[in-house]
Amino acid sequence: MPTIQWEDFEKIDIRVGTIREVNDFPKAKKPAWQLLVDFGELGLKKSSAQLKDLYEGQQLIGKQVIAIVNFPPKQIANFFSECLVLGVYTDKKEVVLLAPDRKVENGWKIG
């Protein structure tokens, strides 16, 4: 991977949010959930997340996650994803969510 400058990192707006709603996404090419994430003062943002291998929809509601919130909306099938929820890929290509280890305010910035 190429080395980036500190200014490059500062362009990425990474925040904590809480998942408020989870819906099935049958039109996605890979199994995914449609999430509605609460980022406090930044408001609610939608995200498509390929988490079905490890997470049931109901267990995601109320979970805090870490996401990039300053990407432009990305169309995935008939859905516009407004943020990128971050996770770690396992050796089986399953996604494990990144999350704070204790509850914090929605919208707080990672830096």
Side-chain angles (χ1 to χ4, degrees), residues 65-103:
V65 294
I66 297 172
I68 298 173
V69 297
N70 64 332
F71 281 127
K74 180 177 181 178
Q75 186 171 359
I76 303 166
N78 62 337
F79 182 78
F80 284 90
S81 190
E82 302 169 317
C83 64
L84 176 64
V85 174
L86 299 177
V88 177
Y89 282 107
T90 69
D91 57 346
K92 296 177 184 172
K93 303 293 185 211
E94 300 161 327
V95 178
V96 176
L97 285 170
L98 292 182
D101 69 351
R102 61 187 67 184
K103 187 165 176 48

Side-chain angles (χ1 to χ4, degrees), residues 7-108:
E7 295 79 23
D8 296 321
F9 174 73
E10 288 179 322
K11 293 176 188 175
I12 305 170
D13 193 0
I14 308 171
R15 305 282 180 135
V16 173
T18 299
I19 298 172
R20 298 292 182 208
E21 189 176 301
V22 179
N23 294 300
D24 199 24
F25 191 7
K27 292 189 177 185
K29 289 181 183 176
K30 295 181 182 177
W33 295 113
Q34 290 177 350
L35 307 177
L36 186 64
V37 185
D38 180 355
F39 290 101
E41 291 184 8
L42 292 177
L44 299 171
K45 292 187 178 283
K46 298 181 287 184
S47 184
S48 170
Q50 297 173 1
L51 304 172
K52 284 193 160 191
D53 290 330
L54 298 179
Y55 300 94
E56 295 294 326
Q58 280 301 111
Q59 93 183 93
L60 291 169
I61 295 174
K63 184 167 184 57
Q64 286 199 302
V65 294
I66 297 172
I68 298 173
V69 297
N70 64 332
F71 281 127
K74 180 177 181 178
Q75 186 171 359
I76 303 166
N78 62 337
F79 182 78
F80 284 90
S81 190
E82 302 169 317
C83 64
L84 176 64
V85 174
L86 299 177
V88 177
Y89 282 107
T90 69
D91 57 346
K92 296 177 184 172
K93 303 293 185 211
E94 300 161 327
V95 178
V96 176
L97 285 170
L98 292 182
D101 69 351
R102 61 187 67 184
K103 187 165 176 48
V104 297
E105 293 293 319
N106 290 331
W108 279 6

